[in-house]
Amino acid sequence: MIRKILAGAVVAALMGGAHAATDYPSGYTKCAQVGSTCTMSGTHSVALGKSGSFVYATKTGSFTCTQSAFPSNSYPDSAWCSVGGTSTSSSSSSTSSSTSSSSSSTGSGSASCKAGATISGTTVDCGGITLGTSCDGQSESQQPVISLQNGATIKNLHIKSGAAADGIHCLAGSCTLVNVYWDGVCEDAATLEPGASSLTITGGGSKNASDKTFQHNAANGTITVNGGFVGDGMGKLVRSCGDCASNGHNKKISINGVKLANVSASVVGVNSNYGDVATIRNLQIKSYTSGKPKVCVEYKGVTDHNGSSTSIGEAWNSTACNVSKSDVTAY
């Protein structure tokens, strides 16, 4: 009996340790809970989170662990701030942030995490650094800040406001973004390009997308936005291309567990004439009332400049718009 009790205690302790470890990322050290001071020296990547989900920032010296010190989030007061192990001097941190016309990075991260990189078939943890290049408004000739392909994953990254260019491109195969934050969107935050099969955005968030946040240009494939992604300010969250040579091949969009504010047009736009399908679940919209904003809008798409794409209107429980009014709540 004593052995059984001791064994149970060991298992419980191990389980408790495993659970606690999910309150800070691998390689980080727990520092303070929300409302308390996190004491450190130098400049570090710091994280705020709980239960395996985190937002990141770069801080110099001790700071108060508050939600307002990090990108937009809704973590409870029981969440923890934690500190990354790599430290740089405050002077090197300030000089590494350049003007929007040139590449910039701050903080610590993998050597593969740099503006202009193409990452293929591997996972790169950027450690919360910030990258940027330039921004030419809504020009579609801009290059991406980073490109992914063939099963690549990028995580824990900030895209610099005013220097986000055409965001992140998924060029081929599947691509995954985990805890990526656009501190300001330029043209698009991320694009699923022709020839690619899937783009999954888990966690993270975006600010100030004057038009689309995520663009679906692939011949088919799926864009998925989930895991507590938070968007504040946008025309649309996701749009399947209204006028692309790739149109006509059943683009798919999946949204689940997303929180949005200040949506000026609609959450999703799909081409119902080409068999596009948007599936939406567990969507929260700030101050939402019916039709403000529209949730899922059907369009008549065109191919390769053969006319212009036109809006059919908002739809519920249709073939193209797989969403019920009960799937959308206000906060």
Side-chain angles (χ1 to χ4, degrees):
M1 177 64 71
I2 292 174
R3 287 181 179 178
K4 288 182 179 179
I5 293 173
L6 289 173
V10 170
V11 170
L14 290 173
M15 290 179 67
H19 175 76
T22 64
D23 289 343
Y24 58 98
S26 175
Y28 285 62
T29 301
K30 289 174 76 172
C31 186
Q33 281 189 296
V34 171
S36 300
T37 298
C38 181
T39 303
M40 67 178 195
S41 60
T43 299
H44 294 258
S45 170
V46 296
L48 169 67
K50 188 174 179 65
S51 303
S53 178
F54 308 100
V55 288
Y56 294 81
T58 301
K59 299 290 182 186
T60 300
S62 300
F63 65 97
T64 302
C65 180
T66 61
Q67 296 189 40
S68 61
F70 291 82
S72 178
N73 66 79
S74 56
Y75 288 114
D77 289 347
S78 57
W80 281 86
C81 282
S82 55
V83 179
T86 302
S87 174
T88 59
S89 68
S90 58
S91 60
S92 65
S93 174
S94 63
T95 57
S96 66
S97 180
S98 63
T99 63
S100 63
S101 61
S102 62
S103 172
S104 64
S105 63
T106 59
S108 60
S110 167
S112 300
C113 188
K114 57 186 179 181
T118 297
I119 300 168
S120 182
T122 190
T123 295
V124 173
D125 189 334
C126 294
I129 69 169
T130 298
L131 296 177
T133 53
S134 61
C135 178
D136 187 15
Q138 289 297 298
S139 171
E140 295 188 358
S141 63
Q142 297 178 86
Q143 296 300 305
V145 176
I146 283 183
S147 298
L148 308 177
Q149 61 186 10
N150 303 326
T153 295
I154 194 164
K155 56 196 298 188
N156 304 329
L157 171 67
H158 280 261
I159 303 295
K160 185 179 179 181
S161 178
D166 205 28
I168 296 175
H169 284 192
C170 179
L171 303 178
S174 64
C175 308
T176 302
L177 315 180
V178 179
N179 292 335
V180 175
Y181 295 89
W182 290 263
D183 297 328
V185 176
C186 183
E187 213 279 308
D188 295 324
T191 303
L192 184 65
E193 295 286 6
S197 59
S198 69
L199 173 61
T200 300
I201 300 101
T202 299
S206 67
K207 293 181 179 178
N208 304 325
S210 60
D211 189 12
K212 307 170 298 296
T213 306
F214 302 115
Q215 176 72 23
H216 195 325
N217 288 345
N220 42 49
T222 303
I223 288 181
T224 300
V225 188
N226 62 14
F229 177 89
V230 177
D232 186 357
M234 67 193 69
K236 300 179 183 71
L237 179 64
V238 190
R239 174 72 164 102
S240 60
C241 184
D243 179 7
C244 281
S246 62
N247 277 349
H249 299 282
N250 307 94
K251 295 174 172 62
K252 291 180 174 59
I253 296 167
S254 176
I255 296 170
N256 194 340
V258 167
K259 193 172 184 178
L260 304 177
N262 300 309
V263 181
S264 62
S266 64
V267 176
V268 174
V270 288
N271 304 313
S272 55
N273 60 317
Y274 288 139
D276 297 353
V277 177
T279 301
I280 301 174
R281 301 289 186 269
N282 304 314
L283 173 63
Q284 297 182 67
I285 304 175
K286 187 175 182 179
S287 304
Y288 173 73
T289 59
S290 182
K292 296 180 181 181
K294 295 178 174 64
V295 173
C296 184
V297 173
E298 296 185 9
Y299 286 81
K300 180 180 180 181
V302 297
T303 302
D304 201 18
H305 308 301
N306 183 23
S308 60
S309 176
T310 55
S311 173
I312 298 171
E314 186 178 33
W316 298 90
N317 299 305
S318 68
T319 301
C321 291
N322 181 0
V323 55
S324 300
K325 293 186 177 181
S326 60
D327 294 314
V328 185
T329 58
Y331 75 95

